[in-house]
Amino acid sequence: MASFCSVTSQPFNCIPLPIPNNTSHFLRRNYNPFQSHVPSHSLRCLPCGRDSPGTRISASITDVLVDVSVEVKQLPKGETWRVHKFGGTCVGSSMRIKNVADIIINDDSERKLVVVSAMSKVTDMMYDLIRKAQSRDESYVSALDAVLEKHSSTAHDLLNGDYLATFLSCLHQDIRDLKAMLQAIYIAGHATESFTDFVVGHGELWSAQILSLVIKKNGADCKWMDTREVLIVNPNRSDQVDPDYLESEQRLEKWYSLNPSKVIIATGFIASTHENIPTTLKRDGSDFSAAIMGALFRARQVTIWTDVDGVYSADPRKVSDAVVLKTLSYQEAWEMSYFGANVLHPRTIVPVIQYGIPIVIRNIFNLSASGTKICHTSNIDDDEDRLILTNYVKGFTTIDNLALVNVEGSGMAGVPGTASAIFGAVKDVGANVIMISQASSEHSVCFAVPEKEVEAVAEALQSVFHSALDAGRLSQVAIIPNCSILATIGQKMASTPGVSATLFDALAKANINIRAIAQGCSEYNITVVVKKEDSIKALRAVHSRFYLSKTTIVMGIIGPGLIGSTLLDQLRDQAAVLKEELNIDLRVMGIMDSKSMLLDNDVGINLSKWRELRQENKEVANLEKFVQHVHGNNFIPNTVLVDCTADSVIASHYEDWLHKGIHVITPNKKANSGPLHEYLRLRALQRQSYTHYFYEATVGAGLPIISTLRGLLETGDRILQIEGILSGTLSYIFNNFKDGRVFSEVVAEAREAGYTEPDPRDDLSGTDVARKVIILARESGLKLELTDIPVENLVPEPLRVSASAQEFMQQLPKFDQELSKKQEDAERAGEVLRYVGVVDVRNEKGGVELKRYKKDHPFAQLSGSDNIIAFTTRRYQNQPLIVRGPGAGAQVTAAGIFSDILRLASYLGAPS
C-alpha cells in the first residue's frame, strides 16, 4: 500500500535509510551526526519526514525500539543551567564563531545550553533558494553552491582532521538532499510552507554543528541538538506558533537521557509539529527558542547576545543621548518591544516569566558592558538606576508608517455592537490594530493601523457602515495618513502624578501637535500619535525632558556685526562648560549678514574658526533658505533665531517665525517699538503658545530691565513711573559734559572711543531712547505708538540735513553755546544735565528729554556709559527700585542675548 507524504499529501515511496550495524554501540555513543556519520534528519524519509518502513524512528532517536541495555540519564534542571543565545551577526564569520566558542568555554556555569541562529544572511539565502525554484529560475543551483561554499570555507577555517571530515560529509549530504528537493519545487512551481520551513532551517543546523565541533575540538564535553527532535509547537490563528511545553519537556528528557552533556549547542528558530513536520518559530524565533529552552531547563539565566550594549532608553540612532538601562521589568520590556523597540519580541518574554528567569541583553563586541537585565520588579535594585534622575519613565519608542482611522457620528453613542462591527471589519481584512482611542462620549472611535493596510480597512468600513453613513447616523470614516506612534513606558509611572503632564508639556514646548492619545489602566504606557515628520523630534524632546540629557538647541545667527560676532565668540568660549555642567548643547547651524550666509549640517558650525569658514564656504544671502535650513532639521526639536541687527525688515518676520515654532531672541528694537497692533500680535502669540520671544537686550543691553519689570507686574505690583538714562552713548556724553568742556568736543571724544554710532546724529536725535521708552510703556500696559512720545532732539535743526557725519561734526561746534548755557545754569544750581526717558504710567504718557537733577540724585552718580533705571511702583513708591550698570558695548549686549538663550534652554528642559 502506498505511503502518503504528510507535507504534500501525495503518494511517496519511502526508502529505508541506513541504521548503523552496531546498534548497541550506536546508542551508547549518544547518537548525533558527528558520531554516526549519518545526519539526524536523514533518519527520516526526505522530504516528508515520515518513518522509513521497518523502523520506529521519528522526532527522537529514543523512539527506536531495540533490545539493548541503555543507561538512562535524568535531566538535571534548575540553577546549574545557563542559556546563551547567539544571533546571526554573532556567528556571521569564522572569527566570530571562534569568539562565541571562547565565551562559552570561559563561562564558569556548571552547565550551559547554547542556542544559535544561522550564520548572518544565510536565512535570506535559503528563502531566496525557494523563491528562485518556485519561479523556475535555474540560478537556484548556483545560489545553493554559494550556500555550500560559505559553510565549507567557514569549516575549513575552524576545523581540521576528523572534525572537518565529519562536518563536510554531513554538509554535502544535506546539499544533495536540498538540491533534489529544490528541483522538485522547480518542476512543480510551488513549495508548501512546510517544505519552505524545512529548507530554511538548515542554516541553524549547520551553524550549531560547526560551533559544537569547535568547542569539542577545544576539549569540552559538548553535544549538539536538533531542536526539531525536542521542541513541539502548535500553529495558531495569528500566523504564530504556541509551544507545547508538556510534550517538549517529555521529548527533552528522552533526548537528554541519551545525550547527557554539560554543554549543549541547540538550533534556534526551528521546531516540529506534533506530526513531526518541520516548522519554524516565525519572527525572532531564535530568541523565542532560547526563552523556551530556558523555561524547559528551569535555567538560572538566559543571555541574549547581540551587537548593542543593552536596551536603550530610546533608539540611539535617533537620540544620541540615549542611555543603556541597567534593568527592566518584564512588563516594561514587553511594552517596549511591542511598540517597536529593538529589544525582544513580546512572546520571547512569556516563557521565562512563570519561573522568574531573568533575561540579560549583552553585546558580544563589547564584553565590558554589563548589559540590560530583564526580570521581575521585585528583583530590580533601584540603586542600579541611580544615574537616572527621573526614573518613572524607563524608555521611549516609536512606530512609523501608520495611519489613523477615525469613525465618528452621533448615531454611535449608546448603540451596542458598534465597536464590535468596526473591529470585526478590520479583522476580516487581516489588518493589525496597533492603538485604539475612544472618548467617553462614544461619538467617535479612533485607531491606528499600518499605512499599507489602511486602504483595505477604509473600504471594509465603508461597506459595513454604508447604510449608517447614508442615513447620517455616522458622519464619516476619515483617514489621517503619515502618522507615527510615540510610546512612553515605565512601570513606576503607575499612580505617579505628573508624568502625563510632563510628557505633554515637553511635546508642546517642541511645538508638536498630538493627534490621538491612549493609556491603559495599568499606567505602564502612554501612547500618543503625532505627524510622521515630527516623530524623531518628539522622541528627542520627551527623552530630553525626562532624562535631563543634553537640551539641544539649533541656532541661526542673523547679523554677525559687532554684537553678533561677540556673541559667537562667547558661545565658542562657553560651549564646553554648558555641555559639561548644564547639559545644554547649542549648535549654530547658520550665520547670515545682508550679503552672504554660512550654513552647516546637524553637527553645527565650528565656532573656533567661524570667520574663516564664512570666507571659504559662504553663499549668497537668502533669508527664506536660511530659515528653512536652520528650522528644517526635524531631528532636533528646538530652533531659535537670534537677530543681532537693527533691521526692520528682519523684525517683520518674527510673527511668521513664531507661528512656525521658531523661538526668537533679539536686541533689535524695531519689532517692539513698531506699530502697536504688530507688537500686540507678537505678545499674544507668545502667551498663547510654547514658542518664546525674548528681547531683554532691547532696552538695557545686559541689564535685567525687562525681566525686572515683568517680575514686578507678575507679582501684583503696580507701576507708577519708569524713569531712566537709557542710552549708554548719551550717558557717556553728559557724564563728561562738565568742567567747562564744550558739547562738540565731548561728542567727538565719544565718537572716537566708539561709543556712538558712525553717525552721532543717530544717538543725539533721541530716537533710540524713544524706542526704549515705548517698549517699556507697552510692557507696562500702555497702548502707545512711537509717535505719541515727544522727543527732545539734541541735533541742532540746521544740521539734521547735513550730507554726512563728517560734515555734521565739522558744523557742530557752531551750536555749542546753547547747550553750554544749559550746563552752566545747572551747575550754578548744584545740578547736572541728564538725557532721560520717562514712562508716566499714571498719566498714560511718555517722553524723552534733557532734565536737571541734584548732584545727590542717583542719576547724577553715574560714570562712563552706565545706564540707570528707576521703577516707582506701589511697593517702591518712596524709594524707587534702581537697576544700574553698563548699558552699552558689544560685550554686555551680547551677554544679555546669551542670557536669554540660557533662559530659553531652561524653559525647554535644561536644569536651572
Side-chain angles (χ1 to χ4, degrees):
M1 182 176 179
S3 298
F4 289 85
C5 177
S6 58
V7 177
T8 65
S9 298
Q10 300 298 315
F12 199 94
N13 294 320
C14 296
I15 302 172
L17 296 173
I19 294 180
N21 293 327
N22 188 347
T23 308
S24 174
H25 176 67
F26 166 70
L27 289 176
R28 280 197 302 273
R29 291 179 63 205
N30 305 320
Y31 170 75
N32 68 52
F34 307 118
Q35 293 159 331
S36 69
H37 300 281
V38 180
S40 60
H41 53 269
S42 70
L43 292 173
R44 303 189 190 93
C45 169
L46 295 177
C48 68
R50 293 177 68 249
D51 298 346
S52 301
T55 72
R56 292 285 305 281
I57 301 173
S58 57
S60 173
I61 193 63
T62 60
D63 290 335
V64 179
L65 296 183
V66 288
D67 187 16
V68 292
S69 176
V70 178
E71 182 184 355
V72 177
K73 289 285 188 178
Q74 186 174 1
L75 173 64
K77 298 181 181 179
E79 293 285 317
T80 60
W81 286 98
R82 182 173 180 180
V83 176
H84 295 268
K85 180 266 173 178
F86 295 94
T89 304
C90 299
V91 292
S93 67
S94 54
M95 180 59 71
R96 290 183 179 178
I97 292 174
K98 185 180 182 303
N99 290 341
V100 168
D102 290 340
I103 290 172
I104 296 168
I105 292 168
N106 292 328
D107 180 1
D108 59 2
S109 300
E110 185 177 346
R111 296 181 175 88
K112 292 159 277 192
L113 175 83
V114 181
V115 177
V116 292
S117 299
M119 292 181 69
S120 180
K121 308 297 183 185
V122 167
T123 300
D124 290 339
M125 295 170 74
M126 303 304 284
Y127 275 118
D128 188 52
L129 291 174
I130 297 288
R131 187 165 51 252
K132 287 179 175 178
Q134 284 187 126
S135 59
R136 295 190 171 94
D137 180 351
E138 292 183 355
S139 66
Y140 78 86
V141 177
S142 59
L144 183 58
D145 290 339
V147 172
L148 171 61
E149 172 58 27
K150 182 177 182 71
H151 291 87
S152 177
S153 62
T154 301
H156 277 89
D157 288 343
L158 295 168
L159 305 172
N160 54 31
D162 290 343
Y163 294 112
L164 178 61
T166 298
F167 175 73
L168 292 180
S169 175
C170 295
L171 175 64
H172 284 284
Q173 180 61 50
D174 288 345
I175 295 296
R176 285 193 293 271
D177 293 339
L178 287 172
K179 189 171 292 185
M181 177 175 283
L182 291 167
Q183 186 177 11
I185 294 172
Y186 176 88
I187 294 170
H190 173 69
T192 65
E193 182 180 355
S194 296
F195 272 20
T196 300
D197 288 346
F198 179 80
V199 171
V200 170
H202 279 73
E204 276 70 20
L205 293 170
W206 296 326
S207 63
Q209 292 171 25
I210 292 174
L211 179 59
S212 67
L213 284 174
V214 172
I215 294 173
K216 189 182 283 283
K217 177 184 168 185
N218 281 273
D221 173 22
C222 179
K223 301 288 193 305
W224 84 279
M225 176 195 290
D226 179 354
T227 50
R228 295 178 303 185
E229 298 179 10
V230 172
L231 186 51
I232 305 302
V233 298
N234 297 309
N236 61 34
R237 293 183 177 181
S238 52
D239 194 32
Q240 298 290 341
V241 293
D242 297 322
D244 184 333
Y245 288 99
L246 182 59
E247 177 68 17
S248 298
E249 199 157 12
Q250 291 173 354
R251 296 203 181 195
L252 174 61
E253 288 174 353
K254 290 180 182 179
W255 185 94
Y256 188 84
S257 70
L258 297 172
N259 297 274
S261 178
K262 291 190 175 182
V263 181
I264 300 172
I265 310 299
T267 56
F269 183 57
I270 57 177
S272 294
T273 67
H274 281 276
E275 295 77 24
N276 298 322
I277 300 173
T279 187
T280 68
L281 298 182
K282 314 303 178 187
R283 179 187 166 197
D284 293 311
S286 293
D287 288 351
F288 196 18
S289 296
I292 295 169
M293 286 298 178
L296 292 177
F297 279 87
R298 311 293 193 267
R300 180 176 81 251
Q301 178 177 296
V302 175
T303 302
I304 307 290
W305 292 90
T306 180
D307 57 359
V308 294
D309 285 347
V311 181
Y312 283 82
S313 53
D315 188 338
R317 294 167 299 182
K318 300 176 180 177
V319 181
S320 60
D321 300 319
V323 298
V324 175
L325 302 172
K326 298 291 184 183
T327 57
L328 280 173
S329 69
Y330 291 124
Q331 290 79 6
E332 288 168 337
W334 198 332
E335 293 279 0
M336 290 183 72
S337 60
Y338 178 80
F339 280 93
N342 189 20
V343 189
L344 295 170
H345 193 277
R347 63 191 177 139
T348 303
I349 302 168
V350 175
V352 299
I353 291 180
Q354 179 181 355
Y355 302 105
I357 301 169
I359 297 177
V360 177
I361 313 295
R362 290 197 62 190
N363 189 350
I364 193 170
F365 304 115
N366 182 14
L367 298 181
S368 63
S370 59
T372 300
K373 182 179 180 181
I374 301 170
C375 56
H376 279 307
T377 309
S378 58
N379 295 329
I380 293 178
D381 182 358
D382 285 340
D383 289 340
E384 292 182 356
D385 289 319
R386 62 188 179 276
L387 296 179
I388 301 173
L389 300 182
T390 307
N391 59 358
Y392 300 122
V393 175
K394 275 294 182 73
F396 306 89
T397 64
T398 56
I399 305 177
D400 295 325
N401 303 314
L402 301 177
L404 278 179
V405 180
N406 187 43
V407 182
E408 66 177 53
S410 57
M412 292 173 59
V415 179
T418 302
S420 175
I422 292 172
F423 296 111
V426 175
K427 175 180 175 292
D428 289 342
V429 298
N432 179 31
V433 177
I434 298 174
M435 188 208 80
I436 303 171
S437 179
Q438 179 179 11
S440 59
S441 66
E442 301 182 58
H443 180 72
S444 68
V445 175
C446 172
F447 56 94
V449 297
E451 206 158 44
K452 62 184 179 182
E453 300 173 356
V454 72
E455 187 174 337
V457 170
E459 290 177 359
L461 292 174
Q462 294 284 353
S463 175
V464 169
F465 293 107
H466 70 276
S467 56
L469 288 164
D470 292 342
R473 295 194 304 277
L474 288 184
S475 57
Q476 66 172 342
V477 176
I479 305 300
I480 305 171
N482 300 318
C483 293
S484 293
I485 277 178
L486 169 66
T488 303
I489 297 159
Q491 195 161 353
K492 289 189 177 182
M493 288 164 51
S495 303
T496 301
V499 175
S500 296
T502 303
L503 170 69
F504 299 140
D505 181 64
L507 292 172
K509 286 180 176 178
N511 201 42
I512 294 169
N513 183 47
I514 299 172
R515 293 187 163 184
I517 303 169
Q519 179 180 4
C521 62
S522 69
E523 300 184 67
Y524 294 166
N525 184 320
I526 302 173
T527 303
V528 298
V529 179
V530 299
K531 293 179 183 177
K532 181 180 176 181
E533 64 194 58
D534 289 336
S535 173
I536 298 178
K537 184 178 178 182
L539 182 62
R540 291 188 174 190
V542 297
H543 187 275
S544 176
R545 183 63 184 86
F546 280 95
Y547 275 82
L548 296 180
S549 59
K550 291 184 178 65
T551 300
T552 305
I553 301 177
V554 168
M555 302 173 63
I557 308 294
I558 304 174
L562 185 58
I563 293 173
S565 61
T566 304
L567 173 64
L568 286 164
D569 291 340
Q570 290 179 353
L571 291 169
R572 173 201 64 205
D573 296 339
Q574 198 67 9
V577 175
L578 292 176
K579 281 187 180 181
E580 181 72 23
E581 297 184 4
L582 296 178
N583 284 316
I584 299 173
D585 184 3
L586 302 176
R587 302 185 187 183
V588 178
M589 310 297 288
I591 302 172
M592 189 183 84
D593 61 22
S594 59
K595 296 179 180 179
S596 65
M597 61 185 181
L598 171 64
L599 305 177
D600 203 284
N601 56 25
D602 62 351
V603 175
I605 295 170
N606 183 351
L607 296 184
S608 63
K609 53 179 182 178
W610 67 268
R611 290 178 177 84
E612 296 91 328
L613 290 172
R614 283 190 70 216
Q615 296 302 317
E616 296 169 4
N617 303 316
K618 67 182 180 182
E619 54 185 286
V620 176
N622 182 316
L623 183 59
E624 183 178 351
K625 180 179 178 181
F626 180 84
V627 173
Q628 176 59 36
H629 173 83
V630 174
H631 186 53
N633 187 340
N634 288 319
F635 298 124
I636 300 176
N638 308 304
T639 305
V640 59
L641 290 174
V642 181
D643 174 20
C644 296
T645 74
D647 193 320
S648 58
V649 174
I650 300 295
S652 68
H653 291 278
Y654 291 177
E655 185 178 355
D656 178 56
W657 295 343
L658 292 170
H659 271 297
K660 290 178 178 177
I662 303 172
H663 308 288
V664 177
I665 293 175
T666 185
N668 187 345
K669 295 177 278 292
K670 297 296 174 63
N672 287 5
S673 62
L676 177 63
H677 67 280
E678 293 181 5
Y679 165 82
L680 294 175
R681 278 207 310 268
L682 283 176
R683 294 290 283 120
L685 185 57
Q686 182 184 20
R687 293 188 184 99
Q688 294 164 9
S689 70
Y690 282 94
T691 308
H692 298 285
Y693 171 42
F694 294 151
Y695 43 86
E696 183 70 77
T698 56
V699 174
L703 296 180
I705 306 301
I706 300 294
S707 56
T708 299
L709 174 55
R710 285 192 179 174
L712 292 170
L713 292 170
E714 289 168 2
T715 56
D717 203 351
R718 180 184 174 190
I719 306 298
L720 303 177
Q721 178 176 284
I722 303 172
E723 183 178 19
I725 298 172
L726 303 172
S727 167
T729 300
L730 292 169
S731 175
Y732 178 89
I733 290 173
F734 283 97
N735 285 337
N736 289 278
F737 184 35
K738 60 184 179 180
D739 300 329
R741 300 187 66 186
V742 295
F743 187 71
S744 60
E745 177 189 335
V746 178
V747 171
E749 180 184 286
R751 185 172 184 243
E752 183 68 24
Y755 285 111
T756 72
E757 294 293 333
D759 189 337
R761 287 175 293 182
D762 294 337
D763 299 294
L764 297 175
S765 67
T767 303
D768 182 67
V769 177
R771 289 188 181 278
K772 294 178 180 180
V773 168
I774 200 66
I775 291 171
L776 292 173
R778 289 173 175 177
E779 291 290 312
S780 301
L782 302 183
K783 292 181 170 54
L784 299 177
E785 296 283 4
L786 185 60
T787 53
D788 295 329
I789 305 298
V791 178
E792 183 174 348
N793 193 332
L794 298 181
V795 180
E797 190 167 350
L799 301 184
R800 294 174 190 175
V801 293
S802 297
S804 66
Q806 189 64 31
E807 181 183 338
F808 166 74
M809 291 303 299
Q810 290 174 351
Q811 298 296 322
L812 184 59
K814 298 178 181 178
F815 300 89
D816 281 337
Q817 185 176 356
E818 182 179 351
L819 276 176
S820 293
K821 184 175 186 308
K822 288 185 178 182
Q823 194 276 333
E824 291 168 1
D825 291 345
E827 182 68 29
R828 280 194 293 270
E831 297 175 338
V832 296
L833 293 177
R834 294 292 182 262
Y835 194 74
V836 299
V838 180
V839 179
D840 185 349
V841 179
R842 287 171 290 195
N843 296 307
E844 299 185 358
K845 64 180 183 178
V848 177
E849 57 187 317
L850 189 61
K851 294 181 65 175
R852 287 163 50 169
Y853 293 90
K854 293 293 184 181
K855 290 187 177 181
D856 59 354
H857 192 279
F859 286 13
Q861 310 301 315
L862 294 187
S863 61
S865 60
D866 281 3
N867 282 4
I868 187 169
I869 296 91
F871 294 94
T872 303
T873 73
R874 186 176 55 192
R875 293 175 188 157
Y876 297 95
Q877 193 162 356
N878 296 325
Q879 187 73 26
L881 176 64
I882 301 290
V883 177
R884 172 183 171 175
Q891 288 290 339
V892 293
T893 304
I897 301 168
F898 203 159
S899 178
D900 273 349
I901 293 170
L902 296 181
R903 184 153 61 108
L904 173 64
S906 69
Y907 282 18
L908 296 175
S912 59

